Amino acid sequence: MSAESLTTGQWWIVAVAASASLLAAVHFCFRNRRATVYSLIAPALGAVAVLGFRGAHDHSEVEALVIFSVSLLSLALLIVAMRPDMEKIRAKALIGETYEVPKWKVNVYGVLVVAFAVVVVFLLL
């Protein structure tokens, strides 16, 4: 599948679905209304960036929407992957202790998420 197989309107629908997946991931992992409301900032800034990117750099709107959608999906996957550690952090905070996520785990998840995003963007564009 290439990015041109969908229309611009369909890519906007994909972008809205990717935004909803990020909101769902944040709500599912943090179980906090404030975090969910704050997670609305990323899609809003992304939508503004898509429109600005399209106009300022002479790129197609579809390219910007593909990058935006894949970025949000990658971030949602990272949040879901880190959910067990989020629960440990919350449990330790309730009893007054701290929990530090192992650096190797953060690095592995980060590399996997970036690799996912790069591969999907290159496959689509």
Side-chain angles (χ1 to χ4, degrees):
M1 180 179 144
S2 70
E4 289 81 26
S5 63
L6 296 177
T7 65
T8 303
Q10 290 170 329
W11 274 112
W12 273 107
I13 292 170
V14 170
V16 168
S19 300
S21 71
L22 176 66
L23 294 174
V26 167
H27 183 72
F28 174 69
C29 293
F30 291 109
R31 303 271 184 205
N32 184 341
R33 275 189 199 187
R34 181 177 287 169
T36 305
V37 170
Y38 285 153
S39 69
L40 289 170
I41 294 171
L45 289 177
V48 170
V50 164
L51 296 174
F53 184 73
R54 179 196 61 184
H57 298 289
D58 260 351
H59 291 284
S60 73
E61 188 173 357
V62 170
E63 289 175 351
L65 286 169
V66 167
I67 293 169
F68 171 72
S69 300
V70 171
S71 299
L72 287 184
L73 286 175
S74 299
L75 185 57
L77 284 174
L78 178 64
I79 290 171
V80 169
M82 295 296 292
R83 182 172 186 253
D85 291 309
M86 302 287 181
E87 290 177 350
K88 289 178 186 175
I89 290 170
R90 183 184 306 136
K92 293 285 187 175
L94 288 175
I95 60 173
E97 297 178 9
T98 59
Y99 173 77
E100 194 169 321
V101 180
K103 292 210 184 278
W104 68 267
K105 190 182 275 190
V106 173
N107 291 336
V108 167
Y109 286 151
V111 167
L112 290 175
V113 165
V114 169
F116 168 79
V118 168
V119 167
V120 169
V121 166
F122 279 120
L123 287 175
L124 289 175
L125 296 178

